[in-house]
Amino acid sequence: MSRVVRAPRGTELHCKNWQIEAPYRMIMNNLDPEVAEDPANLIVYGGAGKAARNWEAFDKILESLENLEEDETLLVQSGKPVGIFKTHEMAPRVLISNAMLVPKWANWETFWDLEAKGLTMYGQMTAGSWIYIGSQGIVEGTFETFAALAKKHFDGSLKGKFVLSAGLGGMGGAQPLAITMLDGACLIVEVDRNRIKRRLETKYLDVMAEDLDEALGMVMKAKEEGRALSVGLVGNAADVHPELVRRGIIPDVVTDQTSAHDPLNGYVPNGMTLDEAIALRKSNPEEYIKRAKKAMAEHVLAMLEMQKRGAIVFDYGNNIRRMAYDEGVKDAFNIPSYVPEYIRDLFCEGKGPFRWVALSGDPEDIYKTDQKVLELFPDDPILNRWIRLARERVKFQGLPARICWLGYGQRAEFGLAINEMVRKGELKAPIVIGRDHHDTGSVASPYRETEAMKDGSDAIADWPILNALLNTASGATWVSVHHGGGVGIGYSIHAGVVVCADGTKETDLRIERVLTGDPGLGIVRHADAGYEIAIKTAKEKGIKMPMLK
Amino acid sequence: MSRVVRAPRGTELHCKNWQIEAPYRMIMNNLDPEVAEDPANLIVYGGAGKAARNWEAFDKILESLENLEEDETLLVQSGKPVGIFKTHEMAPRVLISNAMLVPKWANWETFWDLEAKGLTMYGQMTAGSWIYIGSQGIVEGTFETFAALAKKHFDGSLKGKFVLSAGLGGMGGAQPLAITMLDGACLIVEVDRNRIKRRLETKYLDVMAEDLDEALGMVMKAKEEGRALSVGLVGNAADVHPELVRRGIIPDVVTDQTSAHDPLNGYVPNGMTLDEAIALRKSNPEEYIKRAKKAMAEHVLAMLEMQKRGAIVFDYGNNIRRMAYDEGVKDAFNIPSYVPEYIRDLFCEGKGPFRWVALSGDPEDIYKTDQKVLELFPDDPILNRWIRLARERVKFQGLPARICWLGYGQRAEFGLAINEMVRKGELKAPIVIGRDHHDTGSVASPYRETEAMKDGSDAIADWPILNALLNTASGATWVSVHHGGGVGIGYSIHAGVVVCADGTKETDLRIERVLTGDPGLGIVRHADAGYEIAIKTAKEKGIKMPMLK
Ligand SMILES: NC(=O)c1ccc[n+]([C@@H]2O[C@H](COP(=O)([O-])OP(=O)(O)OC[C@H]3O[C@@H](n4cnc5c(N)ncnc54)[C@H](O)[C@@H]3O)[C@@H](O)[C@H]2O)c1
Ligand SMILES: NC(=O)c1ccc[n+]([C@@H]2O[C@H](COP(=O)([O-])OP(=O)(O)OC[C@H]3O[C@@H](n4cnc5c(N)ncnc54)[C@H](O)[C@@H]3O)[C@@H](O)[C@H]2O)c1
């Protein structure tokens, strides 16, 4: 019988203060069945992204936090609580490093060897740093990306457009909702029927189809009528996409959110049923990986062909291009990444996926903060549209949470406002404030966030390390450094941060420093690389950059 | 005309307080001509280990520190000051990340590409983290290693033994002194005549020889007479070592300290003069690397042959085995590393190369602390022998400094005692307390510090990251994370820490936490890997390890 974990709600403390209670609730929330993809195996999202090394480690993390003193810090090494040391009250309560490997050994093969020996854990981005909030959280990132795409290529909306993608997992499940929020019609291919059902349940997806003709019929009709519609098709993208090419059906926009970054536990090869694939994964992992990579090559070849015939095709950060390239698809990188295409300009202003979670468990707490953010930033049209649509259409999973992209200055301002609301008793309990690692100053990932940097600094990984050190120095509640999130082992280093707004005056300092330094470093990183928008922002905001001319 | 840098002495501050003055003086001290190997090029030691990216960056670091507020933190990205953010007074004043690369790109070729673009810097270990103190500092590590070897294989001394090695650079220069301190006779082959002269000047080396017969004559005579003697031979180890084998001359102990970790700027190929090699390095770097690696293979083959014929041969952490292995010397790893052989037991007790520097510049300050450490730990024979010999034979380079291996508990105790001496005015100015990255809990380096770990966790790099985060949380004065020190790009990740004993009461807290948590994490790392000594130490000292049984 599998164990069910759910964060405690309400105001009763299980730990010595809210700075400790916050990670205590959030690791449990990451494994809430509403939030996690496979909680029985501690898997939160993104292939095998876990919250703790194993159940024993999970229990000991909770026990450690229950007993932690207000001036102690718990160290977590790849999901295992390894030590507790005395620090001080303004220091983080938890420090985490997940899946870091000495570079020469930083490949999936060695990683799985070490994982099998019980020595490491894959933490993805927000799984192992305890701030994943289910698909709801990333709907907005997807919304933001498609909004930028619509603005760049169309008239700002996806009305009358046909979007094709695959994957309805933890991240991918956000696609149909984001696309319909922008009035588009989309077909999302997903090999796992249960994933599709799940997205229907949460209303992220409108319809499920078992048959390609049926699915295409619905999508094409919606496109013609300029009607928003999302269809989830049971199928394998490596079969469906080439079939569409054969039929000469070319969508307006094509992308992909299968777990291609992980050829063993993520991507499902074609030419077999899902059950057969799962069996093969266990019986012959090498053969599985071979077949998965071959399927990815077919999948990408179809995407390239659609691009040639006029579709707007972009990579959505799952490393599928690299996998196909290794399989001989030499022009795989003709597909541009969404970051330089749509996101980098936002990063240059220090904008990124800011998120917050109500530790009370009460949705009212989030609705009140929704109100507050609208009050503070009335002139931001995307933010306003998003917050209103999110309230309507995004179902909370686990502890109620909200996300929106906020920039330098905005983050600290809003964070302080939240802390004041907690202090004044306007909210039932403290709020944790965090972000994805997929942010402006916190990630080095040459096939995603730092692809094609202006100065060629794609692979420089000092930035996420400085980010984690700065956030630790700034008094965040917990800080994490990860390897391999998003694009897989070997391809990224990134850092996470969470600060708990417990309403105290000291926490005003924490919040102000963390929410200023964290996005500030993102601006510095991009200004240092020569981006005009970032240089301008750094100067306007008075960010101190000793070598900026 | 090349610029000469030297740290200011005395009690006058150039920065707002001693926590800022300390890194300000120490970066300059790293480039003091007495300390650095090639100060004109900002190179401190170990091949190309630098203190700052370039002179402009160096000047801006100083300027930034001069203007830094007491609650601000300067961020240094691979030797370049990139940003200044508000943190708080108990946070570090400087945070550094050097040469970190996304693992897939973590190789020398990409590194030098990026370095040529001005985007990164090689920081070695203590070069880029501003706590290198010249050869004096590492004599003791070498002494400690040879003492452990003598204890394990002989009767505790090297009397009547012939030790062969090569390299008299920043690290290697310590070998002759350490060996003669243990009464051994040694021959050190060094390709660069100037390096030999330098070691003669500082009295680390007794004699220079230009000719092999002459050198051998002296060494063999000393061995027979049981007399301590060190001879530096001008020559290339890839020539001399095979020649010794041909002559059937097999030393008792063989090791190596050429800069083999860096086949372009470190190791010098044979079959050409040093000048020809320097010219080739510039004109045809690829050819240079090819020849250097070939020479390393010949060098290692000779070492292996000596091992077969009865010599005690060990690798001293310069990655020469790996280079030879890549060149086809398949049994290169038959040579064991000094860490599992001689050092790991010390690491298990939290022991490692603790060091301190007198910011006053006054040798008396160090002599007084020498006295203090002898008073505090009268029962440690190696410590006692070392401190007495060091006072006699180790010449200070740059700011006066001392090193000795201290364990968990000892470090904090001594650190607090130093801070009290500063507080009471017994010392003229504050003292900085730091260590090498080559320490118990601060490094992942599968060909050196973490070679052959009991649980197979050699490549797990969470530990140095946790170390840097913990030291930041503990309020160290500066903290650094580096990639590639010692064994080269791709092969290691490690962290440094320095805390400035400025005599204040708040600094008692910093010192106690940093000097407890830092070695404590080393014990945790080794206990987690299953080492009995570490498990015992953790239990005895009451270190909190949530999952220790
Ligand atoms: N763009 C971003 O912001 C971003 C952020 C984080 C992660 N990612 C990446 O996006 C990818 C998806 O993430 P996720 O959390 O949804 O992963 P997930 O593992 O939860 O979901 C992937 C889904 O793809 C399906 N799938 C696998 N192979 C398939 C195939 N051949 N055809 C059709 N469906 C297939 C799986 O059944 C699964 O439902 C990952 O690679 C992740 O690293 C992107
Ligand atoms: N064991 C340890 O504790 C430890 C610590 C740090 C570094 N190291 C490693 O030890 C090595 C030496 O460090 P260093 O600081 O002395 O480096 P260095 O560059 O200052 O000195 C290396 C010396 O080797 C000489 N040399 C190069 N090729 C030679 C050859 N073929 N024959 C003879 N001499 C040759 C050079 O002229 C130079 O003087 C490095 O690889 C370093 O990474 C070891």
Side-chain angles (χ1 to χ4, degrees), chain B residues 47 169-172 190 195 236-237 257 259 261 268 316 318 448 486:
Chain B
M171 307 296 300
E190 166 58 62
R195 292 287 172 104
N236 192 304
Q257 285 265 39
S259 265
H261 72 276
V268 177
Y316 209 172
N318 63 354
R448 202 164 88 179

Side-chain angles (χ1 to χ4, degrees), chain B residues 15 43-44 68 143 145 168 208 237 255-256 270 308 320 328 379-380 386 409 450 463 472 476:
Chain B
C15 305
I43 290 173
V44 181
L68 202 76
F143 171 84
T145 303
L168 288 170
M208 168 155 111
T255 188
D256 188 58
N270 60 351
K308 269 189 211 133
I320 195 166
D379 303 328
D380 186 330
W386 163 254
T450 55
W463 301 101
T472 302

Side-chain angles (χ1 to χ4, degrees), chain B residues 238 263 267-271 287-301 323-324 326-327 329:
Chain B
Y267 197 89
V268 177
N270 60 351
E287 176 65 17
Y288 184 99
I289 290 174
K290 229 176 86 188
R291 297 244 208 149
K293 287 184 134 186
K294 198 172 147 280
M296 289 189 231
E298 291 167 29
H299 183 162
V300 169
L301 279 172
M323 297 287 174
D326 288 348
E327 281 297 293
V329 183

